[in-house]
Amino acid sequence: MNENLLQYWEKVKQYWNRYNRTTKIIFIATVFLLVLTAAIISVNLSKTDYSLAYTELQPSDAANIKSYLDTAKIPYHLSADGKSIEVPTSEVANVKLAVESQGLNKNGSLGFEAFSGSSSFGITDNEFKVKYLSAIQGELQQLINANQAISSSKVNISLPEEGPFLQQQAEKATASVVLQVKQGYSLDQAKVDTIYNLVSHSIKNLPIENISISDQNLLSYKFSGESSNGQIGNTDINTQFRNDLQKNINSMLGTMFGRDKVSVSVFTTLNFDQKKTKEQLVRAPNQVDQKGIEISLQEANESYQNKGTETGGVPGTGETDVPGYPGASNNGNSTSEKNSKTVNYEVDRITNDIISTPYVVKDVSINVGIEPPVRDDPNSLTAETKTAIQNALVNIVRTALADNKTTYTDEDLQKKVTVFAHSFARTSDAGTTKTSTYLTYGALALAALAIGALIGFVIRKRKKAAQQLLDQEVNLASQKAELPTIDIENVTNDNQVRKQLETLAKKRPEEFVNLLRTWLVDE
């Protein structure tokens, strides 16, 4: 066996020594490159990608999840602070479903499930009250922690002692809530009011004024009193209006130029002043004749007739006469008539209580960036196209400001809209990066194989050329060993011998010299 190995080793050495130094270096470098590329590809393909499954875990929840992963033999990475757990990307969904189904992630709180594991038989009233209070606090913590902006919370509730006295029964409960707000997040007033109502409605005899809410920085949150009326924060309304307007513009321009070719930025300010007015209108039901509805009619006719009479007395101013009264006068007959008509009309009396909407757009600013058809040539976006987009956006601004009760000129509206052409910076996502990485590895492998094939071809070609050169040397040596002969016996005269010698001297001078030497040695 050793002899065979030695023979193989000798053959390999002989084969290796046939090549020069440059060929040996190229061969070693190629083999090293192939091995290194194969190792890199193998390591990256066999490497397990981990994704974050849970973060900001409480110690008890992290311990429960870690125990489950160990039992299920699922690999994981636990952060140094013990609050985050990473699992293989392909197992993230399964792990979350399993953890939630088993109730392992309770956000550090234990609700009414604390009573499911043990019987209440033999528990004193005080122990039951303590467990019940702890369960309510745990349920509230779980509800509050469901908010995306809150990582954890702590709820402390103080219940009044029950007693036979009215003073004890009139006492109210109190509650304190401490929120751990995630970095980069904030709570608007609507969410704060929701937490106030949630705590108040979960505890009997707990008014909102007896609740205190603060964050980890001891910043207190106050109750606004607006959430009970179903109102939402003004900031949310402005944000929703701005997002809807931006979405509509993106949809319109994205259809024409492509979703990734348009960037829209919208800024809006809204007026939230609410006005209430009252109108009292009176109008006729019959708008044509401007008459009301007759509800009563009264007519009266009067006629008078008078016949003339003679008045007695002596005219004058005697003692028996009346001053100023005619002593004798004859009057004729008189007739008079009086007609009256009274009509009562009913009209429409309208009372309008008008509450103007508090959401009036005060100002709108729209900025639109469009990637030109030729990426590096902003002038490829024609002026006609920019003008058409500008006019469309100006119409949107004019409609949004219609209730502003402010007159805007076309020039003012044009200043509120900006359209410009610019090439966009492309960012690759994780999937694209991963694909490009694999493509890079594949390209390296193909390049290594191509280099190896090229080097093998060069070595084979050189080997073939060396073999041909060796064969030529062997043939030349054999030709040199052979002595040229001249057929003198068949030559009839000296001229033919001379011609053959001249031809041999011209074509093969070395053989001619060797022939002369042979003749001289023989003589």
Side-chain angles (χ1 to χ4, degrees):
M1 185 66 181
N2 294 331
E3 295 180 358
N4 294 331
L5 292 176
L6 292 175
Q7 291 178 359
Y8 289 141
W9 177 249
E10 290 296 332
K11 291 181 179 180
V12 170
K13 289 175 63 178
Q14 292 177 2
Y15 184 79
W16 179 256
N17 292 330
R18 292 173 58 183
Y19 300 102
N20 55 18
R21 180 182 178 85
T22 304
T23 304
K24 292 178 181 180
I25 293 175
I26 294 175
F27 180 79
I28 293 175
T30 303
V31 173
F32 177 76
L33 181 61
L34 289 174
V35 173
L36 181 61
T37 304
I40 294 174
I41 295 175
S42 176
V43 169
N44 282 274
L45 292 179
S46 61
K47 183 180 179 181
T48 303
D49 292 333
Y50 284 83
S51 298
L52 189 63
Y54 292 97
T55 183
E56 299 295 336
L57 290 172
Q58 297 298 320
S60 58
D61 297 334
N64 294 335
I65 297 175
K66 179 178 179 298
S67 177
Y68 162 73
L69 295 175
D70 291 335
T71 304
K73 296 182 180 180
I74 298 176
Y76 61 89
H77 289 164
L78 185 64
S79 62
D81 57 1
K83 294 183 178 180
S84 301
I85 294 179
E86 293 181 350
V87 297
T89 305
S90 59
E91 296 290 337
V92 171
N94 295 331
V95 169
K96 286 188 174 182
L97 291 176
V99 169
E100 293 300 327
S101 63
Q102 299 180 22
L104 301 178
N105 186 19
K106 301 181 178 62
N107 293 322
S109 58
L110 191 63
F112 286 107
E113 60 268 15
F115 293 96
S116 61
S118 60
S119 175
S120 60
F121 181 76
I123 298 179
T124 63
D125 292 341
N126 290 333
E127 291 177 349
F128 180 80
K129 290 180 181 179
V130 171
K131 285 190 175 182
Y132 179 75
L133 183 60
S134 178
I136 293 178
Q137 294 176 164
E139 290 290 337
L140 286 174
Q141 290 175 15
Q142 293 180 17
L143 293 175
I144 295 173
N145 294 344
N147 193 316
Q148 186 179 6
I150 299 174
S151 60
S152 63
S153 62
K154 183 67 176 178
V155 179
N156 289 327
I157 300 174
S158 176
L159 297 177
E161 295 183 0
E162 297 180 358
F165 301 103
L166 295 177
Q167 183 178 1
Q168 292 178 338
Q169 295 178 1
E171 292 181 357
K172 303 295 184 180
T174 59
S176 299
V177 180
V178 178
L179 306 176
Q180 187 75 23
V181 183
K182 294 181 181 178
Q183 187 176 3
Y185 286 83
S186 62
L187 295 177
D188 55 20
Q189 189 61 47
K191 294 179 180 178
V192 173
D193 292 344
T194 301
I195 298 175
Y196 269 102
N197 290 322
L198 182 66
V199 177
S200 177
H201 295 162
S202 300
I203 308 298
K204 184 179 179 181
N205 294 329
L206 179 57
I208 290 180
E209 56 268 17
N210 286 5
I211 301 174
S212 174
I213 298 179
S214 60
D215 60 8
Q216 68 271 24
N217 298 321
L218 299 181
L219 177 63
S220 179
Y221 295 95
K222 300 299 182 181
F223 180 71
S224 66
E226 296 181 354
S227 294
S228 58
N229 297 328
Q231 299 180 2
I232 58 178
N234 296 340
T235 304
D236 291 341
I237 296 175
N238 192 13
T239 302
Q240 183 177 356
F241 175 77
R242 182 173 63 250
N243 292 339
D244 291 343
L245 184 59
Q246 183 171 325
K247 181 180 179 181
N248 293 334
I249 297 175
N250 258 323
S251 177
M252 179 186 69
L253 299 180
T255 305
M256 295 185 293
F257 298 97
R259 298 293 180 183
D260 57 343
K261 301 289 185 179
V262 178
S263 177
V264 180
S265 175
V266 178
F267 180 80
T268 60
T269 55
L270 272 65
N271 184 4
F272 295 96
D273 296 337
Q274 191 174 21
K275 295 182 180 180
K276 184 177 181 179
T277 58
K278 187 174 183 178
E279 291 182 349
Q280 292 183 346
L281 305 177
V282 178
R283 66 181 183 181
N286 188 354
Q287 295 292 322
V288 178
D289 299 331
Q290 291 295 318
K291 289 185 178 181
I293 301 174
E294 296 182 3
I295 59 175
S296 65
L297 175 63
Q298 182 180 0
E299 294 183 356
N301 297 322
E302 296 180 0
S303 63
Y304 301 94
Q305 293 180 356
N306 185 20
K307 295 181 179 181
T309 59
E310 295 181 359
T311 60
V314 178
T317 56
E319 293 180 357
T320 60
D321 295 333
V322 178
Y325 188 83
S329 177
N330 292 328
N331 293 329
N333 297 332
S334 64
T335 303
S336 65
E337 291 184 358
K338 182 180 180 180
N339 298 325
S340 64
K341 183 178 181 180
T342 302
V343 180
N344 292 327
Y345 292 95
E346 181 66 26
V347 295
D348 293 337
R349 292 178 174 84
I350 303 173
T351 301
N352 294 328
D353 291 331
I354 302 174
I355 301 177
S356 61
T357 173
Y359 315 130
V360 178
V361 181
K362 293 177 60 178
D363 198 3
V364 179
S365 175
I366 301 176
N367 301 312
V368 177
I370 301 176
E371 188 173 46
V374 180
R375 180 177 174 83
D376 297 329
D377 185 11
N379 295 326
S380 60
L381 185 65
T382 61
E384 292 79 4
T385 304
K386 293 176 64 176
T387 303
I389 297 173
Q390 184 90 10
N391 294 334
L393 298 179
V394 166
N395 292 334
I396 294 176
V397 173
R398 181 182 291 108
T399 304
L401 298 176
D403 297 333
N404 198 7
K405 296 182 180 180
T406 302
T407 303
Y408 294 97
T409 63
D410 291 339
E411 184 179 358
D412 295 335
L413 296 177
Q414 290 285 346
K415 292 179 180 179
K416 297 181 182 297
V417 177
T418 303
V419 179
F420 60 93
H422 197 278
S423 58
F424 292 173
R426 303 296 180 183
T427 57
S428 58
D429 54 4
T432 305
T433 304
K434 193 172 182 179
T435 303
S436 62
T437 302
Y438 288 152
L439 291 176
T440 303
Y441 292 151
L444 289 176
L446 292 177
L449 292 175
I451 294 174
L454 180 62
I455 293 175
F457 175 76
V458 172
I459 293 175
R460 183 177 178 183
K461 187 175 181 180
R462 288 189 176 183
K463 179 180 178 182
K464 186 175 180 180
Q467 185 66 32
Q468 291 178 354
L469 182 60
L470 181 61
D471 294 340
Q472 290 178 0
E473 292 178 353
V474 171
N475 293 333
L476 183 59
S478 61
Q479 290 176 1
K480 288 182 179 180
E482 296 177 358
L483 296 176
T485 57
I486 298 177
D487 190 5
I488 300 177
E489 296 179 357
N490 296 326
V491 177
T492 56
N493 52 28
D494 296 337
N495 292 330
Q496 292 180 354
V497 175
R498 187 173 63 255
K499 289 180 180 180
Q500 289 182 2
L501 292 174
E502 290 177 355
T503 302
L504 181 61
K506 291 179 180 180
K507 294 182 177 181
R508 298 180 180 179
E510 295 179 356
E511 295 181 3
F512 178 74
V513 172
N514 292 332
L515 180 60
L516 292 178
R517 290 176 179 175
T518 304
W519 284 351
L520 293 175
V521 171
D522 293 338
E523 293 178 357

